[in-house]
Amino acid sequence: MTEHTAPAAVGEDYLLLGQYAERAYLEYAMSVVKGRALPDVSDGQKPVQRRILYAMRDMGLTAGAKPVKSARVVGEILGKYHPHGDSSAYEAMVRMAQDFTLRYPLIDGIGNFGSRDGDGAAAMRYTEARLTPIAELLLSEIHQGTVDFVPNYDGAFEEPLHLPARLPMVLLNGASGIAVGMATEIPSHNLTEVTQAAIALLKKPALDTADLMAYIPAPDFAGGGQIITPAADLQHLYETGKGSVRVRARYEIEKLARGQWRVVVTELPPNTSTQKILAEIEEQTNPKPKAGKKQLNQDQLNTKKLMLDLIDKVRDESDGEQPVRIVFEPKSSRIEPEAFMNTLMAQTSLEGNVPVNLVMMGSDNRPAQKNLKTILQEWLDFRVVTVTRRLQFRLSQVEKRLHILEGRLKVFLHIDEVIRVIRESDEPKPELMKAFGLSDIQAEDILEIRLRQLARLEGFKLEKELNELQEEQGRLNILLGDEGEKKKLIIKEMQADMKQFGDERRTLVEEAGRATLTQTTADEPVTLILSAKGWIRSRSGHNLDLSQTSFKEGDRLQQTLEGRTVWPVIVLDTQGRTYTLDAAEIPGGRGDGVPVSSLIELHNGAEVAAILTGLPEQHYLLSNSGGYGFITRLGDMVSRIKAGKVVMSLDKGENVLPPVAVYTSSLINPDCKVVALTDQDRALAFMLGELKVMAKGRGLQLISLHEGEKLAHVLTTTAPAVALESVGKRGAVHKENISIAEIDGKRGRKGKALNLSGRLKGLFDE
């Protein structure tokens, strides 16, 4: 390896590669965060959206103007402010024009701007666009000194750093975006509710989030729907800025002739479309085998039967007047409508979660997750500064105009003398300034004035305008000097905007239970058969005669287990991991079954130790060859992933012993004992109550082991003795009874050495 010598002096010309990479990545990350992905709390816009609105305003495309081709708008945006791909700019434009995406669209799109079913917009050469009236909430004060302007990407033009939003647009339309290391999901809200909350907070800054929720109970989605999330969860969401909202479709039950009925869905949750619902129903009623499979599994067959028994017809009757109208006709009028809809909501996207993550650029120009009060307070601070700058800008204009008018008034009173000075002087400007005490600006204005403005009527107009401006100057000085008056002005303007643009809430807020499908499989008895080489199969019924059951050559029976088709089947491997199977997925019939490894993802070197089934409350004693164990619930062993989860921690060389079922009554029964037997014929019995009930872990020491010794058998019993089987040198099987009293002790002790007639074969409850 070659040695590299560092420079003699490391100055600013040198930078370690790691430092350079870190700096470059952070710069890239912040560029994405600030320049693309996150909205700003001030105006609720991302940079591309802000540039689109400003460019369209600059082009004169206000609400009353004639719309122009979208391609022309995109060209203006790319050429002046946003040097990126035209598709990104047009896609942002399209989203801002979709009334099913934004609660309050900012662009009035003419032509095909996509549909709620996922259809894309027409090419930008076909569509036209202009601003909507509500866009004035963002743009009306843009040229009144309210916000800072910065040079565009090449310095040829200037663009606003923020838009002077008159209402908290970040909450009204929400936002969605993925940055580097963070993401945002801000739902839309009702304009009237948000405005009322902002006014209340401006009046009483001490209000907390719970108080503000009296005005803003929940999001208000463009497509309506019903929010069923409990109020406590909504409050936690708004207090932390993170959570989710459960939304379901709204529907009507239409009564038909002869007792028949049908369901008509008229509103859908966000990010759900009519086509998505129909596709889900088609997939469930006409399923296809999963990848790598030749036939449908039992779960698919059960779901297919459930849906076909439930639905007779489904059709989409949506049109221009009714954007959403899905009609469901039941198989039988005897089905309860509520049960019918509960099943549909549980099986399709008619009900689902909407994630909420209130991440945005704050007033300190830093990305952060904010709660409801912080968002409103930061916007109010921005609004106060914006209005202050607007008033100062207007006051400056008024004072400049007053200065001009005062000069004109002086001249009007001495018009003959002014005319004489101008006619006789080679340099009239300094002469006028000296003769009448005019400023440079006033003298320049006098020289530029038209003769018609010297008429007597103009003198009256001059005095009238002067008086009006002096009154306005007084009002502006009062507003700038009195914070209370300024707040009143802000509230008055917000109330006017609320009156002009406010509307009724679309999304119903009514708590309800989550739609769940209690059972898709018939509850029937089943017997599971596991072979020594890990093949599993099922047979219908209990108490079966399995004496004629055949196995593959070299294989044999390891375990049989009676259960029910609706119970989960837990596979425990020798490395302490558990996996969950659906009893309905385990093949039946007269074949050899399938390898368990084809249904789960066993870790390298692991083998199946046992299979378990039962209700979640069923308890089991888990133990390992290292002499440790604990009690756990079956429900705690359930795993949702195919690769399973670790339930029992093992040291190197240890393996899991077969689990022992423990009845709940045994946990408090002082007569129930745990019997532990080692491979060196030492036994210990102790009270079951000395063990802990745990969800996972290594557990407590059951018996103290010598070096090289292993725990071989464990069982629980309430009997006074247990039975042992041993095999002699000549293969003879010996049975002996061991009294519990002889081996009784405390957990973790060494126990008692047994004098067996041969090699230990098994331990059994007498």
Side-chain angles (χ1 to χ4, degrees):
M1 185 174 179
T2 307
E3 257 187 45
H4 294 278
T5 305
V10 179
E12 292 183 358
D13 294 334
Y14 296 95
L15 188 65
L16 295 177
L17 180 60
Q19 294 175 334
Y20 172 79
E22 180 180 356
R23 181 187 299 176
Y25 183 77
L26 286 174
E27 288 178 356
Y28 161 72
M30 291 311 296
S31 172
V32 173
V33 168
K34 292 183 177 181
R36 296 188 186 182
L38 299 186
D40 199 288
V41 70
S42 61
D43 58 11
Q45 306 303 303
K46 299 178 184 181
V48 64
Q49 296 170 329
R50 189 178 299 117
R51 289 163 176 167
I52 289 170
L53 294 172
Y54 179 67
M56 292 182 72
R57 169 81 177 202
D58 203 36
M59 294 172 69
L61 298 177
T62 54
K66 180 183 177 181
V68 301
K69 289 289 185 182
S70 299
R72 180 180 166 191
V73 178
V74 170
E76 183 82 0
I77 296 163
L78 301 187
K80 287 187 176 180
Y81 310 113
H82 197 69
H84 300 284
D86 57 357
S87 61
S88 63
Y90 185 53
E91 286 170 7
M93 266 188 69
V94 167
R95 186 179 185 277
M96 295 167 72
Q98 292 175 337
D99 58 0
F100 52 87
T101 300
L102 293 193
R103 182 66 175 81
Y104 300 98
L106 300 173
I107 292 178
D108 179 14
I110 291 89
N112 177 15
F113 274 79
S115 72
R116 66 186 70 231
D117 287 331
D119 300 323
M124 56 185 172
R125 61 182 178 273
Y126 298 120
T127 61
E128 297 181 347
R130 61 184 172 188
L131 295 172
T132 59
I134 203 169
E136 286 298 297
L137 291 176
L138 290 165
L139 297 164
S140 62
E141 301 172 357
I142 190 71
H143 294 304
Q144 297 181 27
T146 51
V147 292
D148 294 327
F149 281 73
V150 294
N152 70 334
Y153 66 92
D154 64 355
F157 302 94
E158 286 193 330
E159 60 178 315
L161 200 57
H162 306 285
L163 298 180
R166 298 208 305 257
L167 290 178
M169 196 62 71
V170 71
L171 288 176
L172 301 188
N173 273 334
S176 177
I178 300 175
V180 178
M182 61 183 67
T184 184
E185 287 291 344
I186 307 173
S188 57
H189 292 77
N190 183 268
L191 186 147
T192 301
E193 295 174 354
V194 171
T195 306
Q196 289 174 341
I199 291 173
L201 186 60
L202 186 59
K203 290 180 178 178
K204 296 181 180 179
L207 294 179
D208 59 16
T209 299
D211 298 324
L212 295 173
M213 286 187 66
Y215 303 95
I216 308 175
D220 187 21
F221 300 108
Q226 177 185 348
I227 294 175
I228 62 173
T229 305
D233 293 347
L234 289 171
Q235 182 173 336
H236 181 265
L237 183 157
Y238 281 124
E239 286 177 343
T240 61
K242 188 174 180 63
S244 64
V245 178
R246 190 79 179 170
V247 188
R248 65 170 47 164
R250 295 185 70 180
Y251 59 91
E252 300 170 355
I253 307 295
E254 292 187 354
K255 301 293 184 181
L256 305 176
R258 297 186 297 278
Q260 301 295 314
W261 55 270
R262 65 184 183 183
V263 174
V264 179
V265 174
T266 56
E267 296 178 8
L268 294 173
N271 306 319
T272 301
S273 66
T274 302
Q275 293 304 315
K276 183 178 181 180
I277 300 297
L278 297 178
E280 289 172 344
I281 293 174
E282 171 64 20
E283 183 180 349
Q284 293 174 29
T285 56
N286 188 24
K288 303 291 187 294
K290 293 186 176 180
K293 303 293 182 181
K294 294 182 179 179
Q295 58 186 8
L296 303 176
N297 61 37
Q298 191 62 44
D299 190 46
Q300 288 177 302
L301 293 173
N302 292 336
T303 302
K304 178 179 179 179
K305 183 177 185 304
L306 173 73
M307 297 299 282
L308 290 176
D309 289 345
L310 191 74
I311 303 173
D312 183 41
K313 295 178 183 177
V314 57
R315 58 184 178 273
D316 178 14
E317 295 184 356
S318 307
D319 55 28
E321 295 183 1
Q322 296 175 302
V324 175
R325 182 178 170 85
I326 313 174
V327 179
F328 294 94
E329 295 184 4
K331 199 78 171 180
S332 169
S333 60
R334 291 189 295 273
I335 300 174
E336 287 293 329
E338 293 304 318
F340 179 85
M341 286 307 300
N342 180 76
T343 303
L344 282 179
M345 288 181 180
Q347 290 291 97
T348 68
S349 299
L350 287 173
E351 180 178 309
N353 282 328
V354 177
V356 177
N357 192 17
L358 305 181
V359 175
M360 62 196 73
M361 299 301 298
S363 57
D364 56 357
N365 201 32
R366 293 175 179 270
Q369 189 173 81
K370 302 179 184 295
N371 61 30
L372 179 61
K373 179 177 179 179
T374 303
I375 294 171
L376 288 175
Q377 188 60 62
E378 289 194 14
W379 178 82
L380 284 171
D381 294 341
F382 170 77
R383 184 59 186 162
V384 170
V385 171
T386 301
V387 171
T388 301
R389 292 182 59 166
R390 189 189 76 200
L391 294 174
Q392 290 171 340
F393 179 80
R394 178 57 185 165
L395 179 61
S396 174
Q397 287 184 316
V398 168
E399 289 175 342
K400 287 179 182 178
R401 183 61 178 169
L402 281 172
H403 187 61
I404 294 295
L405 294 179
E406 287 169 354
R408 289 187 180 183
L409 190 60
K410 290 180 182 179
V411 168
F412 191 79
L413 296 175
H414 305 87
I415 188 64
D416 294 333
E417 182 65 19
V418 169
I419 293 173
R420 186 190 64 77
V421 170
I422 293 174
R423 290 178 64 183
E424 296 178 358
S425 176
D426 294 333
E427 294 290 338
K429 184 175 179 180
E431 293 291 335
L432 289 174
M433 294 171 63
K434 181 179 179 181
F436 302 102
L438 301 177
S439 68
D440 184 88
I441 295 174
Q442 289 173 325
E444 188 67 34
D445 175 69
I446 296 303
L447 292 173
E448 296 292 334
I449 202 169
R450 294 182 179 181
L451 291 176
R452 76 173 71 174
Q453 292 178 274
L454 303 179
R456 183 176 182 82
L457 184 59
E458 290 296 323
F460 293 121
K461 290 181 179 179
L462 188 68
E463 290 183 0
K464 182 181 179 182
E465 184 182 357
L466 190 65
N467 292 333
E468 290 174 350
L469 289 176
Q470 286 173 342
E471 290 179 6
E472 185 178 357
Q473 182 185 36
R475 291 196 302 271
L476 291 171
N477 282 321
I478 292 173
L479 290 171
L480 288 169
D482 189 333
E483 289 299 319
E485 290 298 318
K486 190 188 299 179
K487 285 185 178 181
K488 288 180 181 178
L489 173 64
I490 294 172
I491 291 171
K492 183 179 179 181
E493 291 176 349
M494 290 172 67
Q495 289 173 334
D497 292 334
M498 179 176 66
K499 184 177 181 181
Q500 181 179 359
F501 299 110
D503 58 2
E504 295 294 324
R505 165 174 278 276
R506 296 180 187 175
T507 306
L508 176 67
V509 182
E510 186 176 296
E511 184 178 341
R514 179 173 179 168
T516 56
L517 193 60
T518 56
Q519 188 174 309
T520 59
T521 306
D523 186 355
E524 298 173 346
V526 66
T527 299
L528 305 176
I529 304 169
L530 178 68
S531 76
K533 290 190 175 180
W535 284 66
I536 191 169
R537 65 189 110 166
S538 66
R539 296 282 187 272
S540 297
H542 288 169
N543 303 316
L544 304 179
D545 180 9
L546 301 176
S547 59
Q548 302 301 315
T549 303
S550 62
F551 295 90
K552 288 182 177 292
E553 185 177 352
D555 204 356
R556 58 182 173 79
L557 177 66
Q558 176 174 320
Q559 182 186 356
T560 60
L561 185 66
E562 292 185 347
R564 304 199 71 82
T565 52
V566 295
W567 290 352
V569 177
I570 306 298
V571 178
L572 175 66
D573 73 11
T574 51
Q575 294 182 1
R577 299 182 75 90
T578 60
Y579 313 80
T580 304
L581 299 176
D582 187 344
E585 292 183 354
I586 300 174
R590 293 293 176 180
D592 296 318
V594 295
V596 176
S597 58
S598 68
L599 303 176
I600 58 177
E601 294 179 1
L602 281 171
H603 280 230
N604 292 335
E607 297 180 0
V608 177
I611 54 174
L612 315 171
T613 191
L615 297 172
E617 296 76 22
Q618 173 67 51
H619 288 76
Y620 283 89
L621 168 57
L622 298 185
S623 57
N624 61 54
S625 58
Y628 285 78
F630 61 92
I631 299 169
T632 189
R633 294 171 60 255
L634 184 80
D636 291 328
M637 291 190 276
V638 173
S639 172
R640 295 183 179 180
I641 59 176
K642 203 171 182 180
K645 68 178 182 180
V646 176
V647 173
M648 171 161 266
S649 304
L650 303 177
D651 286 344
K652 187 175 182 180
E654 294 179 350
N655 60 279
V656 172
L657 301 182
V660 179
V662 176
Y663 296 103
T664 306
S665 58
S666 299
L667 297 173
I668 58 174
N669 185 351
D671 295 328
C672 187
K673 301 285 185 176
V674 177
V675 179
L677 186 62
T678 74
D679 61 356
Q680 295 183 9
D681 301 341
R682 285 191 307 107
L684 173 68
F686 59 88
M687 290 177 54
L688 179 65
E690 293 187 53
L691 289 179
K692 287 184 176 180
V693 178
M694 303 168 59
K696 63 179 180 178
R698 182 164 174 78
L700 302 176
Q701 190 176 41
L702 306 183
I703 185 171
S704 178
L705 301 176
H706 297 148
E707 186 175 351
E709 187 178 19
K710 293 183 178 181
L711 182 61
H713 300 278
V714 173
L715 62 75
T716 61
T717 184
T718 56
V722 291
L724 295 177
E725 278 189 1
S726 58
V727 181
K729 293 182 179 179
R730 297 182 180 180
V733 176
H734 303 280
K735 292 187 177 181
E736 306 174 48
N737 287 339
I738 303 298
S739 172
I740 294 296
E742 292 181 15
I743 59 174
D744 201 14
K746 294 290 186 181
R747 178 190 58 77
R749 301 292 174 84
K750 291 186 177 181
K752 181 181 178 180
L754 304 176
N755 186 18
L756 300 181
S757 304
R759 181 171 51 83
L760 178 66
K761 181 182 180 183
L763 176 66
F764 307 95
D765 191 354
E766 191 183 46

